Amino acid sequence: DIRTFDPLANDAEYVWHRDFEDREIEVLEGVGWQFQLENCLPWLLKKGMVFDIKKFEYHRLIKGATHHKNLHLEKDFFLHP
């Protein structure tokens, strides 16, 4: 499942939230975007980076200083029985 995030979208779309399943994320494209987990400093997202988000873990995206590139992420869901 590929998801695109628009840097021109309203900031309200990039709020702290939790998901109901574990996810593995791969960064396909994007410049200047950051990702932040609760109680952690944000880190810069780079093409090819892969990371996990645990279910119910608060997290958010942060738009970068250069708002000219969409962020494209591929999300795999890990559903547990």
Side-chain angles (χ1 to χ4, degrees), residues 8-65:
L8 301 177
N10 188 314
D11 286 343
E13 290 193 31
Y14 304 110
V15 297
W16 289 100
H17 67 281
R18 296 182 295 176
D19 298 320
F20 294 106
E21 59 274 316
D22 291 340
R23 297 183 180 194
E24 180 180 80
I25 307 295
E26 180 179 358
V27 180
L28 302 176
E29 183 180 7
V31 175
W33 291 80
Q34 295 181 66
F35 181 81
Q36 185 174 15
L37 294 171
E38 184 178 33
N39 298 319
C40 295
L41 294 173
W43 69 81
L44 186 64
L45 296 174
K46 296 180 182 179
K47 183 177 180 177
M49 182 181 273
V50 177
F51 59 95
D52 295 329
I53 303 171
K54 302 295 181 199
K55 68 179 178 179
F56 304 126
E57 185 172 47
Y58 276 104
H59 61 279
R60 68 176 177 156
L61 284 173
I62 301 169
K63 293 189 280 187

